[in-house]
Amino acid sequence: MSGPIDPRSADCTNEAFPGVEVREGRSAEVGGMGITRVLPTKGRRTVGAWCFVDLMTPHDIENPLPLEIGPHPHIGLQTVTWLFSGTALHSDSLGTEQLIRPGELNLMTSGGGIAHAELGMAADPVGSPVGDFAGAQMWIALPESSRHGTPDFQHVSSLPMAELAGGEAHLLIGELAGAVSPARADTPLVGAEVRFGAAIDIPAVPSFEYAVVPLDRRLLVHDTIVEPGSLALVPPGRDGIHVAVQGGSARALVLGGEPLGEPIQMWWNFVARTKDEITDAWRAWQQRDTDRFGPVPSHLDRIEAPRPPWVPGD
Ligand code: MN
């Protein structure tokens, strides 16, 4: 599950912000799914090392298409897959074939190059693919020390829970309230899904910046209203984040980390530091360079990359 980054995103930079700010996501369709992309967004490329957040629901709830995203490459990032409903089969060029269900985590570390495919499944894996599927796919930019490194895939079938004041959190990655996720993290960061009744206090690391992404209800992040489909940005300097909801319970993603401290380039499914690095990866994929991007065990059609706008045509 991945949404290609469009050219507009390639030029966005991080602007400083003094208090909690809200950014509206934008909608698109990827692989039969309706997606809302809340990061990157206007004036904000990264939150910690988090550089991409897509929320996925069937594009047509009445007649859902099966999720089918054929083999495509990644560099310079980790993909974090977290489902709200349905089942999907992840296949990658390491030879991995892994089902994922709600409550489980798929974490794929591209290093210098990996290719993968995603297929929505019926609840019974022997059934035909269906579209009863919703979830989040997020990307984490890798630091210099691992972004050219060996690719890796990790499936975590049971995540730690953190008990918080007013609710609880599934801890996807990082540490929260004494809980530690087994997921591989190459930079100081945290990712969690919080569930709460009226209000929740989420411990924060003062050197981290954060994003709060409502999943089902309008929330109040400190004194700022944020609607589902939008993202609340919380600047560094706090030791806690207060989130409230009126009249019921709510769920939200909380993502944070040390500000990345260096600009990144994102284009299509690639995260890099220069356009030349992206051009090299694009060429390797188009030329079917199996040293860089090995074959994926999937019957789905391979996804061809568009030509980067800065590469002259033939
Ligand atoms: Mn992908």
Side-chain angles (χ1 to χ4, degrees):
M1 285 142 283
S2 70
I5 292 291
D6 71 24
R8 280 174 301 166
S9 304
D11 293 322
C12 95
T13 53
N14 284 344
E15 292 167 8
F17 52 101
V20 176
E21 290 200 3
V22 172
R23 297 283 190 280
E24 241 179 86
R26 56 180 194 272
S27 298
E29 196 188 333
V30 175
M33 302 298 291
I35 61 137
T36 302
R37 181 157 304 150
V38 294
L39 193 74
T41 189
K42 187 173 178 295
R44 184 66 16 189
R45 155 74 48 87
T46 49
V47 174
W50 299 93
C51 59
F52 177 97
V53 178
D54 262 7
L55 303 177
M56 305 173 289
T57 51
H59 188 65
D60 180 344
I61 300 286
E62 298 296 314
N63 298 292
L65 290 170
L67 170 81
E68 289 187 353
I69 301 179
H72 62 279
H74 288 289
I75 66 167
L77 58 77
Q78 291 177 300
T79 61
V80 178
T81 305
W82 174 245
L83 301 190
F84 308 135
S85 65
T87 304
L89 176 67
H90 162 97
S91 316
D92 67 37
S93 52
L94 299 170
T96 310
E97 292 185 274
Q98 176 66 55
L99 283 174
I100 180 172
R101 301 179 179 86
E104 303 174 348
L105 181 79
N106 274 0
L107 179 68
M108 186 180 78
T109 303
S110 75
I114 197 168
H116 75 142
E118 308 280 351
L119 178 65
M121 306 291 289
D124 174 358
V126 299
S128 53
V130 295
D132 171 29
F133 177 87
Q137 175 150 115
M138 298 161 277
W139 295 354
I140 297 167
L142 288 172
E144 202 56 39
S145 55
S146 59
R147 71 187 189 93
H148 302 292
T150 311
D152 185 33
F153 178 80
Q154 185 182 7
H155 175 78
V156 184
S157 57
S158 179
L159 291 164
M161 300 294 295
E163 297 300 324
L164 307 179
E168 60 182 14
H170 275 96
L171 180 59
L172 278 55
I173 191 166
E175 298 182 24
L176 188 65
V180 181
S181 169
R184 170 179 163 174
D186 289 7
T187 51
L189 54 75
V190 67
E193 183 187 308
V194 297
R195 299 171 185 211
F196 58 99
I200 190 168
D201 284 297
I202 303 153
V205 179
S207 61
F208 282 16
E209 54 192 4
Y210 289 87
V212 177
V213 183
L215 294 175
D216 52 1
R217 303 284 301 279
R218 169 196 292 178
L219 302 179
L220 206 55
V221 177
H222 294 281
D223 296 325
T224 303
I225 293 170
V226 54
E227 304 278 354
S230 296
L231 161 105
L233 296 164
V234 182
R238 294 174 189 263
D239 60 10
I241 302 171
H242 184 77
V243 183
V245 63
Q246 284 196 330
S249 60
R251 296 157 48 232
L253 293 173
V254 177
L255 310 172
E258 297 267 2
L260 204 54
E262 59 176 326
I264 58 171
Q265 293 275 337
M266 292 174 68
W267 182 81
W268 199 49
N269 289 298
F270 303 137
V271 174
R273 300 295 182 273
T274 67
K275 286 192 167 73
D276 284 349
E277 290 175 353
I278 290 172
T279 306
D280 288 348
W282 169 75
R283 196 158 276 137
W285 180 247
Q286 294 311 90
Q287 294 174 350
R288 301 179 184 235
D289 172 356
T290 51
D291 288 338
R292 183 147 194 198
F293 302 113
V296 178
S298 168
H299 69 271
L300 298 173
D301 289 341
R302 179 190 135 94
I303 298 176
E304 300 300 329
R307 178 181 294 274
W310 59 87
V311 174
D314 295 327

